[in-house]
Amino acid sequence: MVGGFFALLLVGSVCTLEAQEHHENNIVENMEDRTESGDVDETTQRPARLNNILVWGIGHRDHEDIMEIVKAIGERLGIEEPLKEVVSAYRYYSNRTPRPICIRMVNNAAKGKWIIMYRKSRLWKDKIYLEEHLTKNVQLLSGQTRIWAKNKHYAHTWTWNSRVYYRKNYNDPTKYRVLNIRHLLRLQTNEKLAEMVERRLDNRTKRNNTHNTINNTHNTTNNTHKTINNTHNTTNNTHNTINNTHNTTNNTHNTTNNTHNTINNTHNTTNNTHNTTNNTHNS
């Protein structure tokens, strides 16, 4: 009886764990759908900002040369010939004083390089702040995430390519992404499940990217095969054209030879006629 009781207890515990896991999976799937539907990717909304940097803390001067200021900032970051990586720069509209300088970089890689060099140089100690040119939605999400992470005593938060991340402690390389305000609210109420959502969506994105890469590779391979086939067809057509040209040339030569033979025969006939005439005269 005792053994049967423990067996029933064990089965009941397993069923309870399975039910709890099933319940959590259902919650995560529902959160995935809601979070994903509300996840507005700012990088696709504002492509013009993707290569921009905002620099705060540079005082305004009369008749200032913005490009010279940008050059000086780049040199302080340790970048050689910084203006080679800059398309344009101007004072950006802001209610704050002094207004920030908006620097448009040649590409996203150059923007990332300047931000990394800024973090290494620690220019914020001189009250100079360099950051990505974020939309208001991402700025709001970044600010709210920073407050939440500070209350949780997490290591730090940051943005990269208009996406918001946080790290729980400096010794752990694991980074977590905050998808949007709805996801942040989920983190505040049920952090474990919200992080499961982020990981599953991230894995889904990676799978989709892998599938897209494979499809692109297949398309590239097919296009290469088509190009090769077209080249073969072009080569064969060229060979056929050359052969036809050779045949035409040979036919022309044959016609010319036949014409020469006809002329020679005519000459021979004429000569024979002359000979006959001469013989007649002699007789």
Side-chain angles (χ1 to χ4, degrees):
M1 291 294 292
V2 175
F5 172 75
F6 280 112
L8 289 174
L9 181 62
L10 179 61
V11 171
S13 299
V14 171
C15 291
T16 301
L17 289 174
E18 289 180 350
Q20 182 179 357
E21 182 179 359
H22 179 71
H23 177 64
E24 288 186 352
N25 283 334
N26 286 337
I27 293 176
V28 169
E29 288 174 0
N30 289 332
M31 288 172 63
E32 278 182 6
D33 294 336
R34 293 178 181 178
T35 302
E36 194 171 27
S37 63
D39 186 14
V40 179
D41 190 351
E42 296 292 340
T43 61
T44 59
Q45 279 192 322
R46 300 291 179 87
R49 294 190 179 193
L50 284 180
N51 300 335
N52 289 2
I53 292 173
L54 289 182
V55 182
W56 301 83
I58 304 295
H60 185 276
R61 298 178 182 177
D62 293 336
H63 310 295
E64 64 184 3
D65 188 335
I66 294 294
M67 293 302 286
E68 282 298 319
I69 295 175
V70 171
K71 179 182 178 182
I73 294 171
E75 289 173 346
R76 289 192 64 179
L77 296 177
I79 297 172
E80 295 182 2
E81 299 182 285
L83 293 185
K84 285 188 175 181
E85 299 178 335
V86 175
V87 176
S88 61
Y90 56 93
R91 286 280 180 181
Y92 189 72
Y93 174 79
S94 174
N95 292 327
R96 293 166 57 181
T97 303
R99 290 187 297 153
I101 295 175
C102 180
I103 307 174
R104 177 163 295 179
M105 312 302 295
V106 292
N107 51 42
N108 193 257
K111 182 197 75 172
K113 174 183 173 182
W114 280 53
I115 291 175
I116 291 173
M117 296 299 288
Y118 166 74
R119 291 171 180 172
K120 289 181 178 179
S121 65
R122 299 173 177 260
L123 275 185
W124 59 82
K125 292 183 177 180
D126 295 334
K127 307 297 182 183
I128 297 176
Y129 305 97
L130 187 148
E131 63 185 14
E132 292 184 89
H133 190 188
L134 304 174
T135 62
K136 289 183 178 180
N137 287 340
V138 179
Q139 289 178 15
L140 175 63
L141 180 61
S142 177
Q144 293 298 317
T145 301
R146 189 179 299 111
I147 294 172
W148 169 75
K150 184 177 181 180
N151 291 334
K152 297 282 290 186
H153 302 290
Y154 286 160
H156 66 288
T157 66
W158 72 97
T159 63
W160 188 258
N161 286 333
S162 295
R163 294 180 175 182
V164 181
Y165 297 93
Y166 66 93
R167 181 167 283 129
K168 294 187 176 182
N169 59 72
Y170 291 103
N171 297 325
D172 184 2
T174 305
K175 66 179 181 180
Y176 302 87
R177 181 186 170 194
V178 183
L179 302 174
N180 48 41
I181 290 294
R182 179 180 292 171
H183 185 224
L184 178 60
L185 293 176
R186 292 289 184 181
L187 284 167
Q188 293 171 350
T189 56
N190 195 329
E191 186 174 340
K192 176 184 175 182
L193 290 180
E195 287 176 349
M196 288 176 63
V197 169
E198 188 271 333
R199 284 195 297 271
R200 288 175 64 159
L201 288 177
D202 184 58
N203 290 334
R204 184 186 301 176
T205 300
K206 289 179 180 178
R207 286 196 302 270
N208 290 337
N209 289 338
T210 300
H211 290 160
N212 290 335
T213 300
I214 292 172
N215 288 333
N216 289 334
T217 301
H218 286 164
N219 290 333
T220 301
T221 302
N222 289 334
N223 289 333
T224 301
H225 287 162
K226 289 179 181 178
T227 301
I228 292 172
N229 288 333
N230 289 334
T231 302
H232 286 164
N233 290 333
T234 301
T235 301
N236 289 333
N237 289 334
T238 301
H239 287 163
N240 290 333
T241 300
I242 292 172
N243 289 332
N244 289 333
T245 301
H246 287 164
N247 290 333
T248 301
T249 301
N250 289 332
N251 289 333
T252 301
H253 287 163
N254 290 333
T255 301
T256 301
N257 289 332
N258 289 333
T259 301
H260 286 163
N261 289 332
T262 300
I263 292 171
N264 288 331
N265 288 333
T266 301
H267 285 164
N268 289 333
T269 301
T270 301
N271 288 332
N272 289 332
T273 301
H274 286 163
N275 289 332
T276 301
T277 301
N278 288 331
N279 289 332
T280 301
H281 286 162
N282 290 330
S283 299

